[in-house]
């Protein structure tokens, strides 16, 4: 049951990211959206080659600010929140920020407020996307960690497909499209504290704050709840302590390039990220429906 809960939570996080990435492209071609945000001749607002400049800039910012917010959330805010407040607390904050950003997108036609809300929701999703895989890997059994990482990626894609499928429905207004990410975010906020604290974070936090036992009691209780036996909790607690002790050993950044095994991993990881972006998939996700519509393909 506990393992199923971990898997389900990973799925919710993946769906959240997918919905957030996949809702824009289908929403901006809806008639209600064009009428609400485009100030210009009717024909020009519906012709990609003759869009009013202000509306074209708005569409560009609406897509890019979400990505910028996600980057800022993941790179700037999430590491501090997850490292100092806790994994659960960081996800809770990220979920609240996401919901706070999604709601104004459904209610306002003010361009500045709408774009600000886009960036805010992106920041919340960035925090969750950074922290959730970390938290899941720290509480999941070792044999499931790799599977859960792949499972989250799968659910991200399915979330994107689900958002696109709903946007194809004429009854599904653009307001509902922008509200979609708030649903899994609310589920994360409501359910995150049903899980115990990350055992790894409990040890780090206990040592940092000079607790008498170094956080071992809280870490053991979390492991006992998650693994179901004293023996399993004792064994994994020892492994986590050994891992943290190894991390304290000083190592230079040059080792990443000097050691062949590390260098190969760094190169592969970077190439995967860069090549994914260079495929142009983000343009398809953000403007795919607009591209098809301009080409005369019925949606």
């Amino acid at each position: 049951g506990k393992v199923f809960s971990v898997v389900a939570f990973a799925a919710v996080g993946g769906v959240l990211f997918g919905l957030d990435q996949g809702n824009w492209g289908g929403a901006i071609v809806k008639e209600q959206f064009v009428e609400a945000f485009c100030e210009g001749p009717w024909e020009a607002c519906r012709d990609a080659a003759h869009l009013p400049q202000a509306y074209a800039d708005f569409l560009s910012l609406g897509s890019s600010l979400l990505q910028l917010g996600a980057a800022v959330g993941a790179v700037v805010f999430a590491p501090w929140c997850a490292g100092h407040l806790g994994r659960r607390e960081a996800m809770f904050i990220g979920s609240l920020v996401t919901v706070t950003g999604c709601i104004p997108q459904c209610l306002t036609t003010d361009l500045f407020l709408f774009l600000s809300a886009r960036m805010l929701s992106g920041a919340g999703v960035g925090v969750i996307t950074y922290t959730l895989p970390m938290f899941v890997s720290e509480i999941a059994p070792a044999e499931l960690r790799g599977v859960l990482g792949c499972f989250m990626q799968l659910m991200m894609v399915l979330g994107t497909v689900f958002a696109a499928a709903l946007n194809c429905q004429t009854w599904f207004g653009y307001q509902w499209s922008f509200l979609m990410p708030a649903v899994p975010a609310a589920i994360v906020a409501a359910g995150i504290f049903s899980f115990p604290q990350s055992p790894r974070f409990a040890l780090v936090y206990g040592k940092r704050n000079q607790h008498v036992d170094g956080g071992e009691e809280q870490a053991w209780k979390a492991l006992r709840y998650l693994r179901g036996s004293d023996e399993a909790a004792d064994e994994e607690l020892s492994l986590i302590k050994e891992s943290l002790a190894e991390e304290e050993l000083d190592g230079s950044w040059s080792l990443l390039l000097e050691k062949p095994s590390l260098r190969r991993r760094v190169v592969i990881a970077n190439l995967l990220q860069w090549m994914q972006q260079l495929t142009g998939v983000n343009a398809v996700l953000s403007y795919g429906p607009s591209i098809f519509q301009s080409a005369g393909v019925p949606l």
Side-chain angles (χ1 to χ4, degrees):
K2 298 182 179 67
V3 172
F4 176 78
S5 299
V6 173
V7 172
F9 219 67
V12 171
V15 170
L16 167 60
F17 187 86
L19 292 177
D20 199 56
Q21 293 293 308
N23 62 357
W24 176 256
I28 62 176
V29 297
K30 290 185 175 292
E31 190 64 28
Q32 309 100 306
F33 182 90
V34 177
E35 291 177 355
F37 293 101
C38 184
E39 297 180 0
W42 188 94
E43 297 82 1
C45 286
R46 290 153 183 82
D47 185 352
H50 302 91
L51 288 179
Q53 188 59 48
Y55 185 56
D57 292 342
F58 166 72
L59 293 179
S60 298
L61 287 171
S63 175
S64 58
L65 285 178
L66 179 81
Q67 312 299 331
L68 177 62
V72 171
V75 175
V76 178
F77 297 116
W80 187 89
C81 291
H84 289 78
L85 302 178
R87 297 6 174 181
R88 299 179 304 172
E89 290 75 8
M91 282 187 285
F92 183 75
I93 292 171
S95 299
L96 292 183
V97 171
T98 301
V99 173
T100 303
C102 287
I103 292 175
Q105 296 176 57
C106 312
L107 303 176
T108 185
T109 56
D110 180 82
L111 301 187
F112 178 78
L113 181 57
F114 181 88
L115 293 175
S116 299
R118 288 284 292 171
M119 187 169 182
L120 185 64
S121 64
V125 172
V127 172
I128 297 172
T129 305
Y130 174 94
T131 312
L132 183 57
M134 178 193 301
F135 179 70
V136 168
S137 68
E138 290 176 351
I139 67 173
E143 63 273 14
L144 279 181
R145 289 167 190 164
V147 174
L148 287 175
C150 296
F151 186 65
M152 279 195 65
Q153 295 294 325
L154 173 63
M155 296 310 296
M156 287 178 186
V157 175
L158 292 179
T160 302
V161 173
F162 183 68
L166 283 177
N167 275 327
C168 287
Q169 310 304 315
T170 55
W171 54 267
F172 197 74
Y174 80 87
Q175 295 93 338
W176 293 110
S177 186
F178 291 129
L179 187 63
M180 279 194 295
V183 177
I187 293 174
V188 171
I192 188 59
F193 289 107
S194 64
F195 291 94
Q197 189 178 66
S198 160
R200 187 181 186 86
F201 176 76
L203 291 174
V204 172
Y205 185 82
K207 184 174 182 179
R208 182 194 302 142
N209 291 276
Q210 299 180 340
H211 292 177
V212 176
D213 64 345
E216 288 190 22
E217 181 180 358
Q218 192 168 8
W220 187 87
K221 288 180 179 179
L223 288 168
R224 176 64 180 81
Y225 172 82
L226 292 166
R227 304 296 178 257
S229 71
D230 294 353
E231 295 77 11
D234 290 336
E235 180 180 357
E236 190 163 343
L237 181 60
S238 298
L239 293 174
I240 296 173
K241 289 167 64 177
E242 290 175 10
S243 174
L244 290 174
E246 291 176 359
E247 289 180 5
E248 293 179 356
L249 299 176
D250 291 332
S252 65
W253 286 95
S254 62
L255 286 175
L256 294 175
L257 297 177
E258 292 172 357
K259 295 189 67 173
S261 63
L262 292 178
R263 182 170 62 245
R264 184 169 59 251
R265 296 172 191 177
V266 170
V267 170
I268 292 173
N270 276 276
L271 284 178
L272 283 173
Q273 297 296 323
W274 283 104
M275 295 305 292
Q276 175 187 342
Q277 298 304 309
L278 293 175
T279 62
V281 66
N282 283 343
V284 176
L285 289 175
S286 296
Y287 300 107
S290 299
I291 295 171
F292 284 118
Q293 192 176 66
S294 298
V297 179
L299 298 176

